[in-house]
Amino acid sequence: MGRLAAASLVGTAIEFFDFFVYGTAAALVLGPLFFPTFSPVAGTLAAFGTFAVGFLSRPLGSVVFGHVGDRYGRRPVLFASLLLTGCATVAVGCVPTYDGIGVAAPVLLLVLRFLQGLGLGGEWGGAVLLTAEHAPAGRRALWASFPQIGPAVGFLLANGVMLVLTAGLGDADFRSWGWRVPFWAAGLLAAAGLALRSSLAETPQFEALAAEGGQASAPLREVARDHWRLVLLTAGALAVGYAVFYTVSTWALAYGTERLGVPSTVMLTCVMAAVAIKGATTPVFALLGDRYGRRTLCLAGCAASALWMFPMIALLHTARPLLMFLGFLGSLLAFITMFAVVAAYLPELYEPRVRCTGAAVGYNLAGVLGGALTPIVATAFSDGGEGPPWGVAAYLTVVALVSLGCFALLPETLPAPEAAERECAPA
């Protein structure tokens, strides 16, 4: 389990590095480089629009790779998704700016961001099922939480590289070529991830399913016919997590640097410190999920998010590093209270024959609802006025309450103690 968990964590971290480095670049430089004829706010909105395309393609990726995972195994998904995302990310670093090729530059960005999202849409399902289907029931949330640490590691890698580059290079050099370096580095990381995953075994649950010939012939059709309500509820339930995370990690960077005049290095440091603590506490919340239930933790995280959004915006608007950090930290702890357990929760909600498709589609649809729209909506709500952008806080609070209602309609899946004991017992 340790080797499997490490492999899933590293692979997920690499793919999220690819995804997050684009979000940071969109907040800091892509607007003026690829949309120079727009006003600063419109340029940021356009850059976040290309950022959103990655979320829109993630459900499609979950359908494509979910079909592969449910028909042919979880293992092939891990290779194909990582290869696609890595190649698309390296290509982003090679795209000339608007000054070089005109309107073709943002068009190429859109295409490559679409491919990034396609690959990431498959990655989560494969990585989560790799650990969840190997893990004993009594510790399933703990072991399945390791892929959920991957996004924090990927974010820290992406923004750590950006922080070093912005601090070490002048503004002219960073805008000229420095922002491209993290995208090029993605190629080396993807190669390392593919090598690490080459020795992984298929999950025992899928092997048993395949031995009986029980794979779904058309997983998406079965999910749409038999589990559509569950997909919609999980998408609505998880939307708040995406909304909160990308408010902190993407919109707040742009707002802090452009509207509050905070140096980008300070903003990146505040966000990275909060993300590091979020990643470190993920196994703790997962253990609580194994003890008290997945749904219980999710309801608590939603409630905390709803209560914290107005304080978070107030702390951000102070432009004081320590207070901004505390605002971000409270938001991300509420977020991880939910997302530490969803890697076990979602697979347990679906039967094994359609699990890869169902869990991944619900998870990635939530990304569209919460992640794709939030930076755009938040930027629009914060345009104008001198006071704190309370419209952003109100929007996030409403999303949290909607997610709370969706979680309330989902069942608990915590295994009964006797079942957990049987699975944990040595053979």
Side-chain angles (χ1 to χ4, degrees):
M1 282 306 309
R3 183 171 60 85
L4 289 167
S8 64
L9 188 159
V10 170
T12 306
I14 293 169
E15 290 227 32
F16 274 91
F17 169 88
D18 297 351
F19 203 73
F20 287 141
V21 78
Y22 190 100
T24 305
L28 298 179
V29 298
L30 294 188
L33 291 178
F34 288 86
F35 304 94
T37 60
F38 291 16
S39 69
V41 171
T44 300
L45 282 170
F48 283 151
T50 62
F51 175 75
V53 167
F55 286 97
L56 296 176
S57 61
R58 281 174 65 168
L60 178 60
S62 65
V63 169
V64 173
F65 289 104
H67 181 89
V68 174
D70 285 326
R71 285 286 297 155
Y72 305 106
R74 321 314 191 192
R75 191 169 176 269
V77 173
L78 298 176
F79 288 90
S81 61
L82 182 55
L83 183 63
L84 175 59
T85 306
C87 289
T89 305
V90 172
V92 169
C94 301
V95 175
T97 63
Y98 187 94
D99 289 341
I101 58 174
V103 72
V107 170
L108 285 173
L109 272 189
L110 282 171
V111 172
L112 293 171
R113 182 61 175 172
F114 182 89
L115 294 176
Q116 266 193 331
L118 202 69
L120 192 63
E123 163 67 22
W124 186 85
V128 162
L129 293 189
L130 178 74
T131 50
E133 292 189 342
H134 274 98
R139 287 291 180 265
R140 186 172 294 132
L142 173 63
W143 288 114
S145 73
F146 280 84
Q148 297 297 80
I149 302 173
V153 176
F155 181 88
L156 292 173
L157 284 174
N159 288 278
V161 173
M162 283 290 194
L163 182 61
V164 170
L165 291 170
T166 53
L169 297 175
D171 185 66
D173 284 339
F174 180 73
R175 289 176 179 269
S176 174
W177 59 269
W179 68 271
R180 299 180 183 273
V181 173
F183 292 92
W184 296 336
L188 297 176
L189 293 174
L194 289 170
L196 182 63
R197 288 180 166 183
S198 63
S199 61
L200 297 179
E202 186 55 78
T203 70
Q205 289 191 28
F206 180 81
E207 288 182 336
L209 193 68
E212 300 169 357
Q215 304 104 306
S217 58
L220 179 62
R221 184 173 62 195
E222 286 195 28
V223 169
R225 183 188 64 214
D226 302 328
H227 305 288
W228 62 269
R229 182 177 178 273
L230 182 57
V231 169
L232 294 179
L233 282 176
T234 53
L238 299 177
V240 63
Y242 281 98
V244 168
F245 186 85
Y246 286 101
T247 294
V248 170
S249 66
T250 302
W251 170 78
L253 284 178
Y255 182 82
T257 55
E258 295 172 7
R259 291 290 304 280
L260 303 178
V262 181
S264 59
T265 52
V266 174
M267 291 301 303
L268 284 170
T269 301
C270 292
V271 175
M272 288 171 62
V275 170
I277 295 174
K278 181 213 76 158
T281 56
T282 300
V284 176
F285 287 107
L287 281 170
L288 292 175
D290 276 327
R291 182 174 179 85
Y292 299 109
R294 290 67 157 119
R295 180 173 172 269
T296 302
L297 268 289
C298 290
L299 290 171
C302 277
S305 297
L307 294 172
W308 187 247
M309 292 303 97
F310 278 90
M312 188 271 286
I313 292 298
L315 292 169
L316 169 63
H317 194 70
T318 66
R320 297 180 181 179
L322 178 59
L323 295 180
M324 291 192 297
F325 160 73
L326 292 175
F328 298 154
L329 179 61
S331 300
L332 293 183
L333 289 179
F335 158 83
I336 204 58
T337 303
M338 297 173 277
F339 273 57
V341 299
V342 297
Y345 193 24
L346 263 65
E348 288 171 344
L349 288 169
Y350 293 89
E351 57 184 311
R353 59 186 281 113
V354 296
R355 180 173 288 161
C356 196
T357 300
V361 168
Y363 187 85
N364 287 297
L365 277 178
V368 176
L369 299 174
L373 297 177
T374 294
I376 298 172
V377 172
T379 300
F381 280 179
S382 58
D383 182 23
E386 297 299 324
W390 298 124
V392 177
Y395 167 75
L396 293 172
T397 302
V398 169
V399 174
L401 293 175
V402 170
S403 292
L404 183 68
C406 291
F407 273 123
L409 295 173
L410 289 171
E412 178 59 75
T413 62
L414 181 66
E418 58 272 14
E421 290 175 5
R422 284 197 301 270
E423 290 199 34
C424 289

